[in-house]
């Protein structure tokens, strides 16, 4: 990852996909919660995700359940 930050290498394949998914999730979260709270939310167990941490699901490529929870935050009447 250090090489990515120094711009000597770019993420590819599955890692690139995970970064794109994470970026999209963070953009959506920024519309419904305080941006400073996003890292906390991503790293804490969420009951609606079976007490899993969103970041762990995203790392495994399981972004769909996280998106469903965010949809609920975007639409409070959503169930």
């Amino acid at each position: 990852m250090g090489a990515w930050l120094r711009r000597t290498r770019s993420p590819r394949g599955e890692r690139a996909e995970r970064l794109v998914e994470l970026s999209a999730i963070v953009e959506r979260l920024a519309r419904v919660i305080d941006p400073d709270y996003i890292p906390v939310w991503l790293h804490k167990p969420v009951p609606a995700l079976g007490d899993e941490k969103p970041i762990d699901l995203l790392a495994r490529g399981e972004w769909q359940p996280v998106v469903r929870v965010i949809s609920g935050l975007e639409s409070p009447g959503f169930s």
Side-chain angles (χ1 to χ4, degrees):
M1 184 166 172
W4 298 351
L5 296 174
R6 289 188 304 276
R7 298 182 182 188
T8 57
R9 290 187 13 189
S10 298
R12 300 187 195 288
E14 189 174 317
R15 287 183 176 174
E17 288 178 34
R18 297 296 85 80
L19 284 173
V20 169
E21 292 161 1
L22 178 60
S23 176
I25 295 291
V26 168
E27 285 179 18
R28 287 183 70 178
L29 281 170
R31 293 191 294 249
V32 293
I33 65 175
D34 183 331
D36 291 335
Y37 186 70
I38 293 172
V40 174
W41 188 86
L42 288 170
H43 288 90
K44 71 177 212 161
V46 174
L49 295 172
D51 288 323
E52 289 212 55
K53 297 174 186 176
I55 199 75
D56 291 341
L57 291 171
L58 294 171
R60 295 194 307 258
E62 299 174 22
W63 54 268
Q64 297 91 342
V66 178
V67 167
R68 281 193 288 274
V69 170
I70 295 169
S71 292
L73 296 172
E74 292 170 331
S75 306
F78 181 80
S79 54

